[in-house]
Amino acid sequence: MSRAVARSGVFFSLAVVASVALLTLIAPARADDMARNAERFVAELAERASALLSDEAATPAERRDRFRNMFRESFDVPEVARFVLGRYWRRAKPEEREEYLQLFEALVVRTWAPRFAVYQRERFEIVGAHAADGANLARVSSEFSFPDSDPMRIDWWIEGASNTYRIVDIVVEGVSMRVTHRSEFASVIRTHGGRLEGLLEALRKKTAQLNTDPQ
Amino acid sequence: MTLRWNKAGGWSRIAGAALALMMLSACASVPEDPAARAAFEEENDPIEDFNRYIHELNFAFDQLVFRPIAGMYRTGVPARLRGAIRNFFDNLRAPVIFVNDLLQGEGERAGITLARFLTNSTLGLVGFIDSADMLFDLEFHDEDFGQTLAIWGAGVGFYLVLPLFGPSYPRAAFGLAVDSFIDPWDTLLRAAGVEYGPPARTLLNAVDLRARNIDALDDILRTSIDYYATLRSLYRQRRADEISNGLPSALQPAPLFRTRDEESHLMPPRPTESKDRRVDATPYGTSPVFDESVGADVIVQRPQTSELY
């Protein structure tokens, strides 16, 4: 009896030592963690998008609105909007910033949601994920395939910490969404004599026009 | 709009470059404000007024003539046949790609190009079937002499919109002229007395390329507020991506990549050396610094001017 207890004690301590050793071995570096979590985040988004877009019970308009909402939630609009406006952000008055943020969100959602609304689960594949040491930032590489044309390479830049992850850039075939918008907006402001109002006016017109679009 | 062309375009491009050089006399002056100058250098478009003018002409021609033809090609020719035609043209490009692979010191990729050409020209029925990809997993990749010049460290020049041919740089335009000397087929066709061969090839190539970009460009036109500026940025980034062979370069955002000197992040750092696509290389620095414009610690990287696009 006592032998058995002693033996189980030995087993118990061995088990503890073994699991501690195992935990140390598999405890990943922070960067690996970030990459893995970011990859899971993108994979979950893909699953949700798939479920949402194939929901036969919803009308097309409902599906579109839900997809837009999902996009809005998973995309870090304020952070990207600030980057895109660059040096003009700091000069902007509070009410200009507020309107700009709203217009930018409307533009991004109406531009990007339709691009992914044709999404089909079986045509999407995550290729890999990488994170920088010490940064809460990861790049998740993916590929969309099409029946009649070459696959499209899309990298998702994910920023996040403690279970809140957000998309901060979408890079299609090497073309970054935030870099492109930044370049475009700067150009619009410059052609309007360096006035932010010129950009806001153009954004008002464009979002109104995209609003009335059937897409 | 075309991102890449081959043959016959070469001479027109050189003529365009010469024309653009003459227009330099009318070029915009460099802004004195450091932030404005950083933006000016990023756009790399000192002859913007001239470029916008050519862009408008190109756009009108595209919408009235080119896009409709490409649209007819897309609806009139079955997808499989279009794919076969694309394979055929890609296979004809093999000598140019092979030479540029070698000039870039990419022995393995040169081997792939050679193996692909031999396979597809035979098993692939003179190139209409991409049997090298299907049977041996030898994927197509493109190269041109403009990219070779970039690898060699030649400066990109400035943004240049060419009549009919669209966005370019003097370096890229010069590269295409060199490629037309490397390419043997047009010379062979003319020697064989098939005079309509080379222009027909150029034209069909162009229509196919435009047809494949119809949806993407329509979408960009629909959603952009400055089509010209968007295309300029797109071309610059695509070119950098092609030169780095798809390696995620630092031209892509590195979203936390800001500096205390708030404009210097306009300068993209140089892409890393490796040409493998999926590598662990991260393009940004790793020392967090408090950035008051963000209200948080951010990663800072010393800006470098990139020559690689």
Side-chain angles (χ1 to χ4, degrees):
Chain A
M1 196 55 181
S2 65
R3 259 179 106 112
V5 169
R7 207 156 65 203
S8 70
V10 170
F11 274 118
F12 178 73
S13 53
L14 273 179
V16 167
V17 168
S19 43
V20 166
L22 204 63
L23 275 176
T24 328
L25 275 178
I26 60 173
R30 236 183 103 212
D32 287 350
D33 243 3
M34 179 61 210
R36 203 169 301 135
N37 289 340
E39 183 172 341
R40 196 179 309 132
F41 169 72
V42 174
E44 280 169 13
L45 272 185
E47 286 301 333
R48 279 174 57 202
S50 168
L52 196 154
L53 291 169
S54 58
D55 179 11
E56 298 289 338
T59 67
E62 281 170 348
R63 282 203 288 266
R64 187 201 61 201
D65 288 345
R66 279 185 215 162
F67 190 69
R68 278 183 180 180
N69 283 335
M70 182 185 142
F71 189 87
R72 196 176 288 131
E73 282 164 22
S74 40
F75 196 90
D76 194 341
V77 175
E79 139 74 24
V80 177
R82 270 202 307 266
F83 173 89
V84 164
L85 204 53
R87 70 193 141 117
Y88 299 105
W89 174 262
R90 204 174 274 188
R91 287 186 214 156
K93 296 190 219 59
E95 60 272 20
E96 285 177 324
R97 289 185 179 183
E98 198 181 327
E99 191 191 3
Y100 165 72
L101 281 175
Q102 284 173 8
L103 289 169
F104 184 72
E105 179 180 285
L107 179 78
V108 165
V109 168
R110 279 161 187 72
T111 300
W112 286 87
R115 288 182 184 170
F116 291 109
V118 292
Y119 163 79
Q120 285 171 290
R121 182 70 194 91
E122 64 276 15
R123 300 210 177 278
F124 178 74
E125 191 195 346
I126 293 180
V127 186
H130 298 285
D133 267 331
N136 297 325
L137 180 68
R139 185 188 74 238
V140 180
S141 309
S142 70
E143 238 169 44
F144 280 86
S145 52
F146 302 95
D148 294 330
S149 55
D150 298 334
M152 189 184 285
R153 185 156 56 81
I154 299 188
D155 289 348
W156 308 82
W157 286 86
I158 307 298
E159 195 177 10
S162 59
N163 291 329
T164 335
Y165 294 94
R166 289 253 161 76
I167 302 167
V168 286
D169 197 13
I170 305 171
V171 182
V172 181
E173 294 281 333
V175 176
S176 149
M177 164 223 192
R178 58 197 275 155
V179 169
T180 309
H181 274 315
R182 184 189 173 92
S183 196
E184 178 187 30
F185 287 11
S187 179
V188 172
I189 293 174
R190 219 177 316 126
T191 51
H192 287 85
R195 288 180 319 114
L196 181 58
E197 176 55 29
L199 173 69
L200 294 177
E201 183 53 36
L203 284 174
R204 275 179 221 124
K205 265 162 70 181
K206 182 54 79 176
T207 49
Q209 175 198 332
L210 290 174
N211 244 347
T212 55
D213 256 13
Q215 310 200 35
Chain B
M1 210 264 336
T2 70
L3 299 185
R4 180 184 293 116
W5 226 259
N6 57 39
K7 199 59 187 174
W11 289 116
S12 335
R13 276 170 180 265
I14 285 186
L19 185 61
L21 279 171
M22 285 186 280
M23 301 302 290
L24 264 177
S25 55
C27 83
S29 58
V30 179
E32 278 178 24
D33 172 47
R37 190 164 65 231
F40 179 83
E41 283 168 9
E42 191 206 30
E43 302 307 357
N44 191 14
D45 193 2
I47 53 164
E48 178 167 345
D49 290 347
F50 171 74
N51 278 340
R52 277 195 188 261
Y53 173 70
I54 301 294
H55 165 82
E56 290 302 322
L57 293 181
N58 284 349
F59 179 70
F61 175 76
D62 179 58
Q63 296 296 307
L64 291 173
V65 182
F66 202 30
R67 191 198 170 284
I69 292 175
M72 284 189 277
Y73 175 76
R74 193 171 66 157
T75 42
V77 181
R80 296 188 72 142
L81 181 55
R82 271 184 282 130
I85 292 171
R86 169 64 10 215
N87 288 338
F88 177 73
F89 283 132
D90 281 350
N91 195 48
L92 286 185
R93 246 189 99 68
V96 169
I97 300 168
F98 177 73
V99 169
N100 282 300
D101 280 336
L102 286 182
L103 291 175
Q104 291 175 30
E106 296 276 353
E108 196 185 327
R109 282 162 69 93
I112 291 172
T113 305
L114 183 63
R116 280 181 51 83
F117 182 68
L118 295 176
T119 313
N120 285 345
S121 302
T122 52
L123 279 178
L125 309 175
V126 293
F128 282 107
I129 302 167
D130 192 351
S131 53
D133 191 1
M134 284 158 53
L135 300 176
F136 309 116
D137 232 12
L138 294 169
E139 259 183 63
F140 174 80
H141 67 263
D142 206 352
E143 286 296 345
D144 56 65
F145 193 70
Q147 297 185 43
T148 302
L149 286 173
I151 301 292
W152 289 356
V156 65
F158 48 87
Y159 184 63
L160 179 60
V161 181
L162 299 174
L164 295 183
F165 294 92
S168 190
Y169 293 110
R171 184 178 71 193
F174 177 73
L176 284 157
V178 173
D179 286 336
S180 75
F181 285 110
I182 300 172
D183 184 286
W185 310 115
D186 288 0
T187 317
L188 288 173
L189 281 170
R190 283 196 204 91
V194 192
E195 288 299 329
Y196 61 88
R201 175 185 169 199
T202 304
L203 201 64
L204 192 50
N205 223 335
V207 170
D208 174 76
L209 193 61
R210 184 67 185 92
R212 281 180 295 140
N213 286 320
I214 283 183
D215 291 336
L217 286 179
D218 282 358
D219 192 57
I220 291 163
L221 179 62
R222 188 176 67 87
T223 55
S224 63
I225 49 176
D226 186 338
Y227 189 50
Y228 171 84
T230 302
L231 285 186
R232 180 175 62 194
S233 181
L234 264 170
Y235 180 72
R236 175 168 57 85
Q237 296 180 66
R238 276 298 297 148
R239 221 26 217 169
D241 187 65
E242 284 172 356
I243 290 163
S244 70
N245 292 342
L247 169 82
S249 75
L251 191 64
Q252 295 156 358
L256 292 180
F257 160 58
R258 294 186 196 90
T259 55
R260 290 180 86 67
D261 167 16
E262 71 163 346
E263 292 323 312
S264 44
H265 57 268
L266 285 171
M267 295 304 181
R270 192 179 292 275
T272 41
E273 292 297 314
S274 167
K275 294 193 95 187
D276 288 332
R277 204 189 136 213
R278 317 280 182 195
V279 291
D280 281 301
T282 44
Y284 29 81
T286 50
S287 46
V289 165
F290 187 79
D291 183 327
E292 55 182 1
S293 72
V294 186
D297 281 352
V298 297
I299 304 300
V300 171
Q301 171 145 359
R302 187 187 308 273
Q304 291 174 304
T305 310
S306 174
E307 283 295 309
L308 271 174
Y309 50 78

